[in-house]
Amino acid sequence: MAEHPPEQPTAPRDRTDSRDRTGTSDRTEARDWTDGHLDRWQPVLPGLDPDIEASVTRMSRLTRHLGRVREQGVADYGLHKHEFDTLHVLAGRGGHAAPSDLRADLNLAPASVTGRLETLERRGFVLRTPSTEDRRKVDIVLTEAGRAAWQEALDVVGREERRLLGVLSEEERRTLADLLRKVMLAQEGER
């Protein structure tokens, strides 16, 4: 089901008990928004698997939160999301790529990539240089100013990711990453 009503931040309440699959208490912990969501929907949908619903709902809310942090971080450093995305892809290619590579990575039409690159070049974030492989083509190079703008915006997201996942031990983070890989492999196998 994974219903996602509008964001209404609520203060976590102390949870006096956590319910296992049978609805019986097993430990004491704080309640989050999703616990209230489950409380509302389990009586309506008795067949609802609380673990699946809780996992999907929490992943969705976390993704939306990190997306908002990313957008704000990007804006705080004077970048538009599409500019950041382009710099990010270029940085991921070692700071040097052909426009066609960027187009493929960003899944955009050639004209869209050209427009982005022109804007980034005017801002001094990228340079167009003659291709070392084919003189008729150009390569896009990330400038120091472009790398700095990208890195500063990226650091905002990184700090929030570390803050949130820092509540887990190293072993718990590894377990979470392994479990999410298992889920993603199932999703990617559907293609």
Side-chain angles (χ1 to χ4, degrees):
M1 181 182 108
E3 177 179 309
H4 306 291
E7 292 287 326
Q8 295 291 330
T10 57
R13 300 178 304 249
D14 283 338
R15 185 174 198 172
T16 55
D17 68 303
S18 175
R19 307 207 186 286
D20 65 20
R21 290 180 186 270
T22 63
T24 59
S25 299
D26 65 345
R27 63 185 182 274
T28 300
E29 61 184 47
R31 287 175 55 90
D32 68 359
W33 184 92
T34 300
D35 293 316
H37 170 79
L38 290 172
D39 291 345
R40 283 189 303 278
W41 285 102
Q42 282 190 289
V44 176
L45 299 169
L48 181 69
D49 183 318
D51 294 329
I52 291 174
E53 182 65 15
S55 296
V56 170
T57 300
R58 286 182 176 115
M59 285 187 291
S60 176
R61 289 178 64 85
L62 181 60
T63 299
R64 284 197 318 262
H65 169 74
L66 290 174
R68 284 190 307 272
V69 168
R70 180 176 179 255
E71 286 181 27
Q72 185 60 54
V74 165
D76 287 349
Y77 289 96
L79 293 171
H80 295 285
K81 182 184 177 302
H82 66 275
E83 292 173 323
F84 174 82
D85 291 344
T86 305
L87 294 174
H88 188 71
V89 166
L90 186 56
R93 286 186 163 271
H96 187 271
S100 59
D101 294 332
L102 298 176
R103 184 179 72 239
D105 289 348
L106 293 164
N107 194 26
L108 293 173
S112 297
V113 171
T114 300
R116 286 185 184 197
L117 295 176
E118 287 171 355
T119 301
L120 291 170
E121 187 173 32
R122 278 194 305 272
R123 296 190 66 188
F125 293 156
V126 301
L127 291 174
R128 294 173 200 243
T129 62
S131 172
T132 56
E133 297 175 9
D134 184 342
R135 289 181 162 173
R136 296 168 293 172
K137 297 182 179 181
V138 297
D139 285 333
I140 307 303
V141 178
L142 185 63
T143 65
E144 286 304 315
R147 184 175 300 282
W150 164 75
Q151 187 67 59
E152 288 169 350
L154 185 66
D155 287 347
V156 171
V157 178
R159 280 192 300 274
E160 183 64 359
E161 290 170 348
R162 287 187 298 277
R163 183 185 77 82
L164 295 174
L165 294 176
V167 302
L168 302 176
S169 69
E170 186 177 336
E171 182 178 338
E172 288 170 327
R173 290 192 303 268
R174 186 175 304 113
T175 299
L176 177 61
D178 290 344
L179 292 172
L180 290 173
R181 178 187 303 110
K182 191 172 184 178
V183 172
M184 290 308 301
L185 287 171
Q187 183 268 318
E188 291 170 0
E190 293 175 357
R191 294 181 186 171

